[in-house]
């Protein structure tokens, strides 16, 4: 016997199902009531044991035995009532149980207090009316309990309960009822009705109990198990009593009399147990064992009918149980087939018919668990520029490409390899130990890449698709599915970034990836914390040999890693939503520095690079205007530098933003000229006043005549368009002299000055 301990009653409320799983009962009521319930439960168990001793000891204590019997049953009702009073959850269930047990207790009081001394004892009596009233509230209580705690169950559980109920009903109606009916021969109607109501009421109660246990998967446990057991014990005792009475073999004062109070005490104890879901349905052959066992009972009754004729009701119930078991078997096979289909679909990609991510994880887990001799490798494939193809030709064409690529990959793989589609344009292949070492995996990867690169004809177009493949090998690169996936992903992006197409996992690359990930987390706090600082590189005017302009170059003064160059963190900014904040922070610092220089008599113009997110931000010109106004710097002291590729990201919106900037009086410069998709048609549309020649041409002038010709032609072209020319990458006197001879306006590079602090 156990009264459950619990949790703080003031805890937040949650749904009923969760409460049933998580909240034991005892601590949800006042401590005094909890202690009273404990002592009452102990007294009731002691009372049952005492009654068993008295009923086994022979004659001499019938009066004590009778009143102890009555007290134990009444105490069980009080235990249910105490539970309903103390705790709101399932209050109606336990009030109804208390009412039913209370009616039975009233019948006992009437019997032992009044009727036992009457000769002859009246039948039926008022005590019988009270005893019969035990059943209606009990039925309702059990129904409420089942409807509340056993909802949304599979149909098979209902079938199991029904099969058991029919078998039990056929057994009782075939064995008990005939004897009871025979014993009422010649009796008055009231006596016949009262005699029959007990076994019929008990039969219905047993049926409900069996259905309840069946719905619990034949493993109810907790309050449900104790309640079902208590009701089953009570109904079983009634059934045995009725049969013995009908056969004239019942003797008062035997251990059978202790079964009723024992059943009632079990019900009272159930009221104080934590309400938990069933412990889990039986699986496999065990799931059918119980309904088949009940079906054997029904079959046995049909066999018995050949030797001793049973009632028609019993035969009908037995036949119904057998038929229901047949349907249950058919449904089980249907569920198993559907389960197999569901499992297959759960592991299959709808489009290509390959395995999906779940299937890949399952296969990797098998490698991890099996730990086979030799290596196994995971190949992660990502189609290059597939989004562009999808956006241009549409999703239907993209799906066709994926289907045909899947067929090619399958054919190019070894027979024992598995291929999965992870989603989008990403595939994965698992190579067994026969092809799983690093060299063999790389050879397979190259073969896969060649298969993908073969021309595809889609909608009268010959398409060429390429792929990047990353390789991670078990156990060298990882011993778990998550490690292999993560490291193959690192290798795949390394292959894509380097342009090699195939890359093995490299711990150093992964280390850099982890470092960048950590830096990315720090970036969000770096800008507001003022950790980003500016260095300035002077620009030398070859016409006056003076410095009138500087370029602002951002650095990150990291609190742990020291001063970081822009190549370390700018790529992270470009792939995040931080570019707008970074650019405005740089412009604000640059404007404040220009204001400080001007206050010291140094009249300089500062240049700041801007990126795509800035030119797509329609509010960017207003934000720049506010920064100029706040620092009291004229717009002519600020020059913003763009690349043509940036301006062409969204020409319409970029043109509007550029007009807004020029309306402020901010000068614009086109830098990295010659490295992108520059054209005269585009350049003449941009409102720029300065053109910057990329360092790659300037640094190559002395060694490559073509670079020198490009630089000279660009200078002449810019001058003819009325633009000022700036040459980057001036590293020595020769380059400086050559540019001066070519009439370049301004130069910039380490030969003039490295970037320096303000």
């Amino acid at each position: 016997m156990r009264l459950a301990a619990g949790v703080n009653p003031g805890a937040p409320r949650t749904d009923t199902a969760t409460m049933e799983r998580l909240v034991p009962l005892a601590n949800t009521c006042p401590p005094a009531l909890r202690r009273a319930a404990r002592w009452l439960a102990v007294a009731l168990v002691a009372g049952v044991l005492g009654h068993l001793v008295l009923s086994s000891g022979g004659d001499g204590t019938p009066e004590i035995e009778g009143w102890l019997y009555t007290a134990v049953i009444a105490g069980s009702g009080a235990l249910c009532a105490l539970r309903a009073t103390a705790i709101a959850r399932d209050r109606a269930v336990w009030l109804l149980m208390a009412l039913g047990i209370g009616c039975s207790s009233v019948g006992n009081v009437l019997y032992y207090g009044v009727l036992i001394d009457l000769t002859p004892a009246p039948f039926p009596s008022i005590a019988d009316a009270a005893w019969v009233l035990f059943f209606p509230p009990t039925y309702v209580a059990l129904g409420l309990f089942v409807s509340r705690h056993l909802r949304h169950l599979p149909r098979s559980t209902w079938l199991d309960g029904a099969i058991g109920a029919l078998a039990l009903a056929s057994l009782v109606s075939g064995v008990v009822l005939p004897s009871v009916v025979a014993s009422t021969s010649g009796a008055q109607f009231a006596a016949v009705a009262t005699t029959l109501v007990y076994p019929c009421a008990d039969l219905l109660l047993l049926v409900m109990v069996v259905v309840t246990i069946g719905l619990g998967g034949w493993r109810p446990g907790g309050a449900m198990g104790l309640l079902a057991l208590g009701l089953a014990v009570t109904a079983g005792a009634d059934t045995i009593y009725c049969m013995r009475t009908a056969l004239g073999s019942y003797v008062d004062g035997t251990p059978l009399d202790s079964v009723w109070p024992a059943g009632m005490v079990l019900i009272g104890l159930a009221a104080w147990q934590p309400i938990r879901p069933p412990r889990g349905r039986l699986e496999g052959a065990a799931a059918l064992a119980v309904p088949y066992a009940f079906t054997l009972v029904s079959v046995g009754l049909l066999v018995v009918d050949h030797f001793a004729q049973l009632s028609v009701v019993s035969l009908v119930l037995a036949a119904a149980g057998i038929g229901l078991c047949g349907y249950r078997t058919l449904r089980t096979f249907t569920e198993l087939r559907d389960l197999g289909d569901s499992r297959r679909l759960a592991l299959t990609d709808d489009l290509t018919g390959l395995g999906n991510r779940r299937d890949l994880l399952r296969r990797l887990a098998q490698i991890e668990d099996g730990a086979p001799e030799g290596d196994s490798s995971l190949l992660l494939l990502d189609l290059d520029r597939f989004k562009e193809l999808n956006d241009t030709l549409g999703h239907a064409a993209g799906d066709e490409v994926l289907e045909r690529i899947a067929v090619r990959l399958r054919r190019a793989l070894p027979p024992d390899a598995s291929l999965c589609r992870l989603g989008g344009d990403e595939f994965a292949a698992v190579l067994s130990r026969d092809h799983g070492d690093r060299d063999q995996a790389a050879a397979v990867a190259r073969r896969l890449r060649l298969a993908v690169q073969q021309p595809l004809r889609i909608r009268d177009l010959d398409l060429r698709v390429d792929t990047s493949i990353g390789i991670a090998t078990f156990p060298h690169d990882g011993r778990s599915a998550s490690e292999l996936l993560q490291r193959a992903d690192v290798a795949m992006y390394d292959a894509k970034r380097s342009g090699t197409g195939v890359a093995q996992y490299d711990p150093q690359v992964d280390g850099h990836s982890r470092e960048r990930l950590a830096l990315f987390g720090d970036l969000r706090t770096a800008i507001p914390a003022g950790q980003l600082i500016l260095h300035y590189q002077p620009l030398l005017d070859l016409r006056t040999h003076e410095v009138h302009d500087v370029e602002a170059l951002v650095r990150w003064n990291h609190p742990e890693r020291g001063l970081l160059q822009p190549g370390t963190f700018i790529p992270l900014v470009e792939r995040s939503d931080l570019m707008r904040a970074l650019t405005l922070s740089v412009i604000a610092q640059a404007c404040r520095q220009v204001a400080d220089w001007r206050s010291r008599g140094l009249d300089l113009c500062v240049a700041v690079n801007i990126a795509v997110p800035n030119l797509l931000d329609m509010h960017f010109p207003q934000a720049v205007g506010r920064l100029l106004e706040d620092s009291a710097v004229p717009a002519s002291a600020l020059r913003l530098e763009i690349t043509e590729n940036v301006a062409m990201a969204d020409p319409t919106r970029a043109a509007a933003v550029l007009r807004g900037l020029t309306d402020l009086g901010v000068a614009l410069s086109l830098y990295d000229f010659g490295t992108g998709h520059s054209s005269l048609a585009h350049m003449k549309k941009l409102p720029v006043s300065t053109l910057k020649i990329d360092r790659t041409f300037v640094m190559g002038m002395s060694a490559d005549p073509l670079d020198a010709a490009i630089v000279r032609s660009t200078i002449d072209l810019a001058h003819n368009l009325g633009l000022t020319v700036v040459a980057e990458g001036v590293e020595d006197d020769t380059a400086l002299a050559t540019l001066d001879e070519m009439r370049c306006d301004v130069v910039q590079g380490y030969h003039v000055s490295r970037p320096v602090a303000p």
Side-chain angles (χ1 to χ4, degrees):
M1 179 270 299
R2 176 174 64 88
L3 293 180
V7 297
N8 185 354
R13 288 192 173 185
T14 184
D15 62 281
T16 302
T18 305
M19 289 287 288
E20 289 163 2
R21 288 193 298 270
L22 302 179
V23 182
L25 299 177
N27 279 2
T28 59
C29 70
L33 289 178
R34 190 164 67 249
R35 287 193 296 271
R38 275 205 192 95
W39 285 111
L40 179 56
V42 171
L44 293 176
V45 172
V48 171
L49 295 175
H51 187 273
L52 180 61
V53 171
L54 291 175
S55 62
S56 302
D59 298 331
T61 57
E63 188 171 330
I64 297 175
E65 179 186 334
W67 285 110
L68 180 60
Y69 174 99
T70 302
V72 169
I73 292 179
S76 299
L79 199 58
C80 292
L82 192 61
R83 156 67 171 83
T85 302
I87 303 167
R89 180 155 50 94
D90 289 331
R91 176 170 288 163
V93 172
W94 300 111
L95 278 176
L96 287 168
M97 290 303 309
L99 177 61
I101 297 174
C103 291
S104 182
S105 301
V106 170
N108 293 332
V109 170
L110 292 173
Y111 178 77
Y112 288 108
V114 179
L115 301 177
I116 196 171
D117 295 327
L118 298 181
T119 305
F123 182 78
S125 67
I126 190 171
D128 291 296
W131 286 328
V132 169
L133 286 176
F134 163 78
F135 294 101
T138 302
Y139 295 153
V140 177
L142 189 57
L144 284 176
F145 192 87
V146 170
S147 65
R148 178 176 181 130
H149 299 293
L150 294 174
R151 293 174 292 184
H152 310 300
L153 294 169
R155 187 177 299 178
S156 57
T157 57
W158 290 96
L159 291 174
D160 289 349
I163 291 169
L166 287 171
L168 187 63
S170 64
L171 179 64
V172 173
S173 61
V175 176
V176 179
L177 287 181
S179 301
V180 175
V181 171
S183 70
T184 61
S185 178
Q188 296 181 348
F189 174 78
V192 173
T194 303
T195 302
L196 290 176
V197 77
Y198 286 113
C200 291
D202 286 324
L203 174 59
L204 179 57
L205 184 59
L206 282 172
V207 165
M208 293 182 69
V209 168
V210 170
V211 169
T212 301
I213 297 175
L215 292 178
W218 307 111
R219 302 173 64 186
M224 187 186 305
L226 271 182
L227 177 62
L229 180 62
L231 292 173
V233 167
T234 303
D238 272 347
T239 302
I240 295 172
Y241 168 78
C242 288
M243 191 163 62
R244 286 191 176 183
T245 301
L247 298 175
S249 60
Y250 174 73
V251 178
D252 197 7
T254 64
L256 175 62
D257 294 345
S258 299
V259 177
W260 280 283
M264 295 296 183
V265 170
L266 287 173
I267 296 171
L269 294 178
W272 287 86
Q273 298 306 303
I275 309 296
R276 295 191 182 95
R279 289 178 292 172
R281 297 177 57 205
L282 297 175
E283 301 291 342
L288 292 174
V290 178
Y292 278 4
F294 279 115
T295 304
L296 286 176
V297 172
S298 298
V299 172
L301 288 172
L302 295 181
V303 173
V304 169
D305 182 62
H306 286 281
F307 303 99
Q309 189 172 3
L310 300 178
S311 67
V312 175
V313 174
S314 178
L315 295 177
V316 169
L317 292 173
I322 294 172
L324 204 58
C325 183
Y327 176 69
R328 169 71 169 92
T329 303
L330 179 62
R331 181 157 188 85
T332 298
F333 284 117
T334 303
E335 288 177 350
L336 289 174
R337 184 196 64 198
D338 294 342
L339 180 61
D341 291 341
S342 298
R343 183 169 295 177
R344 179 179 56 80
L345 292 173
L347 299 173
T348 303
D349 174 57
D350 292 338
L351 178 63
T352 62
L354 300 174
N356 56 16
R357 180 178 290 272
R358 189 179 291 110
D359 186 41
L360 174 68
L361 293 175
R362 181 177 64 88
R363 294 179 185 276
L364 293 177
Q366 290 173 351
I367 293 175
E368 179 184 350
D369 295 339
E373 295 181 4
D375 297 336
S376 297
S377 287
L378 170 65
L379 277 58
L380 202 61
L381 301 85
D382 186 81
L383 302 183
D384 296 337
R385 295 180 298 280
F386 180 77
K387 183 178 185 301
E388 179 181 342
L389 183 151
N390 219 22
D391 293 342
T392 303
L393 299 182
H395 292 288
D399 289 347
E400 185 179 350
V401 169
L402 291 173
E403 290 179 88
R404 293 174 63 177
I405 291 293
V407 173
R408 290 182 176 184
L409 293 173
R410 179 68 271 177
R411 290 174 179 170
L413 280 170
D416 58 347
S418 59
L419 180 65
C420 302
R421 177 177 173 237
L422 305 188
D425 59 343
E426 200 169 40
F427 295 84
V430 179
L431 305 180
S432 68
R433 58 185 178 181
D434 294 332
H435 302 87
D437 67 50
R438 295 173 70 89
D439 293 337
Q440 290 177 320
V444 172
R446 288 191 291 270
R447 192 162 65 244
L448 293 176
R449 193 160 181 255
L450 287 175
V452 172
Q453 289 172 340
Q454 298 302 311
L456 273 173
R457 190 158 185 84
I458 303 290
R459 298 188 179 180
D460 298 327
L461 292 174
D462 288 327
L463 303 177
R464 289 186 180 271
V465 181
D466 206 347
T467 183
S468 300
I469 304 177
I471 305 171
T473 303
F474 175 92
H476 307 291
D477 299 330
R479 290 186 168 272
S480 68
S482 60
E483 283 183 343
L484 285 173
L485 267 174
Q486 185 266 333
R487 290 170 181 179
D489 192 58
V490 169
M492 185 268 290
Y493 277 106
D494 184 29
K496 193 180 290 286
R497 183 171 52 251
S498 64
T500 57
V502 176
Q504 300 273 5
Y505 170 72
D506 183 349
Q508 291 185 342
V509 173
D510 193 12
H512 292 319
S513 296
R514 293 173 187 272
E515 181 180 347
R516 286 197 298 272
L517 184 62
L519 283 176
F520 183 76
D522 296 341
L523 259 177
R524 293 197 174 273
T525 57
I527 298 174
Q531 295 175 9
L532 297 181
I533 62 174
L534 298 184
H535 284 187
Y536 300 88
Q537 186 171 32
L539 281 70
L540 177 65
D541 191 329
L542 293 179
R543 296 163 297 188
T544 63
H545 295 279
E546 295 178 347
V547 172
H548 302 292
D549 303 270
V550 293
E551 181 178 358
L553 301 170
V554 67
R555 304 288 187 264
W556 184 359
N557 190 17
H558 195 282
E560 297 175 1
R561 302 171 188 260
L563 195 65
L564 302 180
Q565 298 298 313
T568 306
F569 60 90
I570 290 298
L572 297 178
V573 176
E574 290 173 342
R575 292 196 295 269
S576 71
D577 58 350
L578 298 175
M579 183 56 78
R580 183 177 189 274
L582 173 65
T583 303
L584 292 177
S585 173
V586 169
I587 294 174
Q589 287 190 59
C591 289
R592 288 196 297 269
Q593 186 58 58
V594 168
D596 180 62
W597 282 330
R598 283 176 170 257
S599 68
R600 301 173 186 222
L602 189 60
D603 189 6
L604 292 176
C605 174
V606 64
V608 176
N609 294 343
I610 61 175
V612 172
N614 307 123
L615 283 190
L616 299 182
D617 180 7
M618 300 301 292
H619 301 290
F620 183 62
Q622 292 90 325
V624 172
R626 284 195 297 272
L627 293 177
L628 290 169
E629 184 178 348
D630 292 344
S631 58
V633 170
S636 59
L638 176 66
R639 187 173 75 249
L640 300 180
E641 299 190 341
I642 62 171
T643 66
E644 185 197 11
N645 292 343
V646 168
M648 292 301 106
D650 185 341
T652 303
R653 180 176 292 191
V657 173
L658 291 174
R659 281 195 303 271
L661 293 171
T662 54
D663 289 344
L664 287 174
V666 173
L668 299 177
S669 174
L670 185 67
Y671 73 97
D672 288 350
F673 183 78
T675 60
H677 302 287
S678 301
S679 69
L680 297 178
H682 289 160
M683 191 172 69
K684 71 177 185 179
K685 295 178 182 178
L686 298 175
V688 297
S689 59
T690 303
L691 185 146
K692 263 191 175 184
I693 303 174
D694 188 69
R695 69 181 63 247
T696 56
F697 300 110
V698 174
M699 295 174 69
M701 287 190 307
S702 59
D704 190 344
L706 290 178
D707 282 346
I710 290 173
V711 173
R712 185 183 300 274
S713 300
T714 303
I715 293 172
D716 292 340
L717 172 64
H719 285 164
N720 291 333
L721 293 174
L723 303 177
T724 300
V725 181
V726 177
E728 296 181 295
V730 177
E731 306 295 326
D732 51 39
D733 276 329
T734 302
L736 182 62
T738 302
L739 290 169
D740 194 11
E741 179 191 343
M742 293 178 178
R743 296 187 303 115
C744 181
D745 302 310
V746 179
V747 294
Q748 175 183 0
Y750 283 4
H751 184 63
V752 176
S753 174
R754 290 176 176 270
V756 293

